[in-house]
């Protein structure tokens, strides 16, 4: 009787392989995910398609079952670890586009929040698009963002929050920028699953970014608008 161990990933067609990756991500099988990513790359898939169509899509299923109480924190951590294994292979490929430097962003997950997969993805895609990215990691207080932005001479401050309890902290950071007279020094982009357009507006961010691709496009638009204004 054939069991899971007998599946030879390289013998699956693309559709079956992506389906298998979703199962493997769900089961937190890091090595299998890494192998499958390599296979898809060999088959000519773009790093971006592998990220979005296999890894992010698989993580969405994990998220739904976590929400519904079918999966618990340990399983989700394993899935996250498997996803990170795949992302580590894709990162240099997304970054090596050789695009001209577009600007600099500091990005981090806000205080009280340890979710970092989405933030890492945004950082990767921004680097791939030619931005210089300083990743502040997780659980960032106001001072962390402000000091890093100043030290790095950043154009953009990016904030990520995945919890309804931590997303209000983004306003704390923006208010601190206002108090220090630095709000207009930086473009502030926010993102994370529980946010939306209205929330972004309400807290005074320059833009809410639904996903990493939107973050890249928004950053490009706002940075070039700013350069044009400065040049005018
Ligand atoms: Co957490 N968790 N979690 N979790 N977790 C969520 C967010 C949750 C929605 C799950 C659920 O119930 N369905 C829920 C929040 C509910 C709520 O607030 N309303 C939740 C909860 C409750 C919790 C804990 C409280 C659970 C507990 O302990 N009881 C706890 C909190 C810990 C803390 O932070 N203090 C917790 C812990 C964890 C793990 C540690 C197990 C793990 C995190 C591992 C890690 O990140 N290293 C985890 C995970 C993995 C998730 C889910 C399943 C997946 C998140 C993820 O990585 N998605 C998540 C469910 C979900 O979101 N559907 C969930 C994939 C990622 C690519 O998407 O992060 O949305 P996302 O990023 C996207 C966009 O949002 C956007 O672009 C990204 C790429 O396209 N984006 C940005 C994100 N940040 C951006 C920043 C930008 C721009 C765009 O700046 C410019």
């Amino acid at each position: 009787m054939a069991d899971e161990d007998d599946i030879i990933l390289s013998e699956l067609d693309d559709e079956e392989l992506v389906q298998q990756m979703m199962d493997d991500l769900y089961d937190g099988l890091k090595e299998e995910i890494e192998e499958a990513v390599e296979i898809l790359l060999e088959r000519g898939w773009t790093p971006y398609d592998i990220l979005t169509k296999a890894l992010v899509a698989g993580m969405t299923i994990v998220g739904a079952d976590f929400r519904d109480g079918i999966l618990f924190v340990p399983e989700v951590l394993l899935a996250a670890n498997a996803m990170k294994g795949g992302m580590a292979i894709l990162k240099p490929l997304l970054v090596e586009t050789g695009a001209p430097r577009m600007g600099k962003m500091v990005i981090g997950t806000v205080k009280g929040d340890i979710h970092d997969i989405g933030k890492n993805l945004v950082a990767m895609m921004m680097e791939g698009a030619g931005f210089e990215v300083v990743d502040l990691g997780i659980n960032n207080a106001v001072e962390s963002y402000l000091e890093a932005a100043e030290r790095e001479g950043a154009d953009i401050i990016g904030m990520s929050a995945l919890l309804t309890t931590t997303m209000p902290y983004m306003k704390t950071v923006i208010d601190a920028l206002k108090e220090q007279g630095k709000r207009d020094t930086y473009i502030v982009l926010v993102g994370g699953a529980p946010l939306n357009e209205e929330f972004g507006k309400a807290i005074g961010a320059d833009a809410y970014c639904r996903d990493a691709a939107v973050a890249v496009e928004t950053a490009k638009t706002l940075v070039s608008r700013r350069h044009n204004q400065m040049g005018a």
Side-chain angles (χ1 to χ4, degrees):
M1 193 185 78
D3 63 19
E4 287 281 309
D5 294 340
D6 294 320
I7 293 172
I8 297 170
L9 294 177
S10 59
E11 289 179 354
L12 302 177
D13 68 27
D14 285 11
E15 200 179 319
E16 290 165 339
L17 182 57
V18 168
Q19 187 54 53
Q20 185 62 39
M21 285 174 80
M22 291 181 182
D23 291 349
D24 288 346
L25 195 73
Y26 195 93
D27 294 334
L29 301 176
K30 186 176 178 207
E31 280 175 22
E32 283 75 358
I33 288 294
E34 288 168 346
E35 187 187 340
V37 166
E38 298 283 9
I39 293 170
L40 287 179
L41 284 171
E42 276 164 27
R43 291 185 188 172
W45 278 53
T46 63
Y48 181 70
D49 273 354
I50 300 174
L51 254 185
T52 52
K53 294 182 180 161
L55 298 181
V56 173
M59 206 61 193
T60 306
I61 300 169
V62 172
D65 280 3
F66 188 31
R67 178 197 60 218
D68 296 341
I70 298 165
L71 288 180
F72 296 96
V73 171
E75 288 113 319
V76 178
L77 268 178
L78 280 176
N81 189 42
M83 171 137 184
K84 284 184 177 179
M87 281 165 65
I89 298 170
L90 298 174
K91 179 173 178 178
L93 305 172
L94 286 164
V95 171
E96 77 182 9
T97 57
R101 285 279 151 238
M102 303 284 301
K104 195 169 196 177
M105 175 173 80
V106 295
I107 186 167
T109 304
V110 296
K111 190 173 170 182
D113 200 322
I114 63 167
H115 295 86
D116 68 353
I117 296 177
K119 183 261 301 163
N120 294 348
L121 204 49
V122 173
M124 254 186 228
M125 298 274 296
M126 291 287 289
E127 283 184 358
F131 286 87
E132 212 176 317
V133 176
V134 178
D135 189 342
L136 307 177
I138 55 173
N139 197 22
N140 283 283
V142 169
E143 301 75 36
S144 166
Y145 287 106
L146 269 52
E147 281 165 22
E150 182 141 1
R151 181 182 69 238
E152 302 290 343
D155 303 289
I156 305 169
I157 295 178
M159 290 189 274
S160 180
L162 266 287
L163 299 171
T164 44
T165 48
T166 56
M167 56 193 249
Y169 196 77
M170 293 172 160
K171 183 171 185 306
T172 308
V173 177
I174 294 175
D175 288 348
L177 281 171
K178 286 181 186 159
E179 278 159 26
Q180 297 187 12
K182 291 180 184 158
R183 176 61 190 89
D184 294 336
T185 311
Y186 308 106
I187 294 163
V188 178
L189 302 182
V190 295
L195 280 63
N196 58 31
E197 203 87 41
E198 288 71 41
F199 177 78
K201 282 203 185 91
I203 63 170
D206 288 289
Y208 154 72
C209 307
R210 190 182 63 241
D211 59 30
V214 170
V216 168
E217 287 317 310
T218 309
K220 280 185 187 167
T221 307
L222 295 184
V223 166
S224 66
R225 190 181 295 164
R226 175 174 284 223
H227 285 166
N228 291 342
Q229 278 165 358
M230 287 187 329

